[in-house]
Amino acid sequence: MSSPEITASPTLVRRASLAGFFGTAVEAYDFMVFTFLIAYLSPKFFPSDDPATGILSSLAVLGTGFLARPIGGIVFGRIGDRYGRRFTLILTISGMGGATILMGLLPTHSTVGILAPALLVLTRLLQGFFAGGEQMGSATFVTEHASAKNYGILSAMTPVGFAFGAAVAPLVVAVTTSLSSEDVMSSWGWRVPLLMSLPLMLYVLYLRTRLEESPEFKGLADKHKVQAAPLRSVITRYPVTLLRVIAISTSVLAIGYVVPAYMPLFLQQEVGMTPGATAWLATAGSAFAIAISFGAGFLIDRSGRRVTLVLALGILLVAMFPIMYFIKATDGLLVVTALGHMLLVGMAGAAAVPVYATLTSAFPAAVRYTGAAIGFGLGSAFGGGFGPYLAAKFTEMTGNAYASSGVVAAAALLGIIVIVTMPNSNTSAAPEAALLTGETESLDTNSSEHSPASPKTA
């Protein structure tokens, strides 16, 4: 949160919010569009007589992107805390978009054999590496323009951007499948949604090159308080905070990826919906999540992060199983399926907002990017990386169509336990030093007096 003497102007806040919103939207699009193309990608890269084997292989590839996120968090967190948020976010969005475009140009198994899935995994790892610095970097940049009065609503900009990108991804897939035959989609049409990342990436680059550095990083650079070793500071001075950040990120990201990544497969395999139909449903669900997430931001500014997160996770804890049950029992009746899916996706989006607000307040400004990115990246690897795969694997092992609801329930319970035990977690914002640790000392003793970084400005 910006300190009073470096409070950003309304124009800077608006520019930062838009750049953060659309940047995270592109990241979500790049990361999620793969999910809605699994039905077409599986036979192209993992040909098998058993369709379930190809699906599981594709979900495993989906998970590899999360495994690279902690590494990206370390690398880009260090860059962001030493050389500035704006400069780092230009790097991350370029890498994310580039990896997705490469994925859309990959040769298939029929052309290069085993090299095809290897290249698919490589591009997914690149996506994850750059995503490891994008999401928390965007959240840090935006909230460092905030005041105590609007911290919650600005904290919503990044997850709302993610929800927007998650809505655009299935929409593009749905439109592409509507305008193409199944033969065209299976042959080359699946490449179109991936290559659409290019114009989106170029637009965000345009926005970000017009930004100034965040007020808080400017203040650190001007006072020569930029950290020489932000990773070491996070690990040695804030280990408990880091563990809490990892745990709460694991909880919400498991839910945030099981719901949009596995539910389309549930609807296709258990209810018989086509990939195009599930893509339209996912678009509606993500659109609903945008509205609910803004509502969560307003609730944070009035009632605090704890109340907001417990409410969202509590609804998910009790609603996942009955919604899946009624969808299957009614054979995918449109009203039941649409409303149920919208509620699940909406609550998953709402739960993310107080978590983002918590992560960007958990560490002092000098190590904020590094701490938030590493914690979020490890939470992504554990929750997002294994969540959808475990949902599919438990379903296959038990033969129970609703087994994935147990993964969501366990993740929701973990998040509730963590947030209720966090000190200061019922506030909207707090002093610069640290929210979760309760510490108030500065990091002056660890500042990089010998090599201060200069903020990159437009």
Side-chain angles (χ1 to χ4, degrees), residues 103-143:
M103 188 179 292
L105 298 173
L106 289 179
T108 61
H109 192 280
S110 62
T111 304
V112 296
I114 193 66
L115 184 60
L119 290 173
L120 182 64
V121 170
L122 177 61
T123 54
R124 192 64 180 173
L125 286 170
L126 286 173
Q127 279 185 327
F129 174 73
F130 287 102
E134 166 62 32
Q135 219 162 337
M136 278 300 103
S138 173
T140 295
F141 185 79
V142 173
T143 55

Side-chain angles (χ1 to χ4, degrees), residues 53-372:
T53 301
I55 293 293
L56 284 171
S57 298
S58 297
L59 286 172
V61 173
L62 176 70
T64 61
F66 292 97
L67 299 180
R69 282 194 177 215
I71 301 173
I74 293 172
V75 172
F76 293 110
R78 176 180 173 83
I79 296 173
D81 280 332
R82 293 206 66 188
Y83 303 106
R85 285 53 159 136
R86 170 187 175 274
F87 170 69
T88 310
L89 290 173
I90 290 174
L91 295 179
T92 56
I93 199 65
S94 300
M96 278 288 302
T100 306
I101 293 164
L102 284 176
M103 188 179 292
L105 298 173
L106 289 179
T108 61
H109 192 280
S110 62
T111 304
V112 296
I114 193 66
L115 184 60
L119 290 173
L120 182 64
V121 170
L122 177 61
T123 54
R124 192 64 180 173
L125 286 170
L126 286 173
Q127 279 185 327
F129 174 73
F130 287 102
E134 166 62 32
Q135 219 162 337
M136 278 300 103
S138 173
T140 295
F141 185 79
V142 173
T143 55
E144 284 184 346
H145 289 75
S147 67
K149 294 181 179 180
N150 64 0
Y151 195 87
I153 193 63
L154 286 186
S155 295
M157 293 303 297
T158 297
V160 167
F162 191 92
F164 181 77
V168 172
L171 176 62
V172 171
V173 173
V175 170
T176 305
T177 55
S178 298
L179 298 176
S180 307
S181 65
E182 282 296 306
D183 289 340
V184 170
M185 283 299 298
S186 298
S187 176
W188 58 268
W190 58 270
R191 298 182 185 274
V192 174
L194 294 167
L195 296 176
M196 282 297 295
S197 179
L198 177 60
L200 299 174
M201 177 189 71
L202 292 176
Y203 176 64
V204 174
L205 280 174
Y206 167 75
L207 290 177
R208 289 187 172 174
T209 54
R210 298 176 68 241
L211 292 173
E212 296 181 13
E213 186 51 80
S214 80
E216 284 201 67
F217 187 81
K218 277 185 179 180
L220 290 171
D222 291 344
K223 298 174 183 177
H224 305 297
K225 293 182 179 180
V226 173
Q227 288 288 288
L231 176 60
R232 183 176 62 195
S233 295
V234 168
I235 293 175
T236 58
R237 302 192 64 181
Y238 303 102
V240 176
T241 300
L242 183 60
L243 289 175
R244 284 172 169 156
V245 165
I246 293 170
I248 200 168
S249 298
T250 299
S251 163
V252 173
L253 288 165
I255 295 169
Y257 282 97
V258 168
V259 171
Y262 181 74
M263 279 300 290
L265 297 177
F266 170 80
L267 295 174
Q268 293 167 29
Q269 295 172 350
E270 301 295 335
V271 185
M273 288 188 172
T274 65
T278 57
W280 283 112
L281 283 173
T283 300
S286 294
F288 181 66
I290 292 173
I292 294 296
S293 296
F294 272 125
F298 282 111
L299 185 59
I300 289 171
D301 285 329
R302 285 152 181 78
S303 301
R305 299 188 301 275
R306 179 182 295 163
V307 170
T308 307
L309 185 58
V310 170
L311 179 62
L313 291 181
I315 292 173
L316 287 162
L317 178 65
V318 301
M320 183 74 174
F321 171 75
I323 286 175
M324 294 179 72
Y325 177 84
F326 282 115
I327 288 175
K328 185 171 172 60
T330 58
D331 292 324
L333 183 66
L334 183 59
V335 174
V336 174
T337 303
L339 292 178
H341 191 263
M342 287 172 66
L343 177 63
L344 292 177
V345 176
M347 286 300 105
V353 178
V355 170
Y356 279 67
T358 298
L359 267 58
T360 54
S361 301
F363 302 96
V367 296
R368 180 174 295 144
Y369 200 145
T370 298

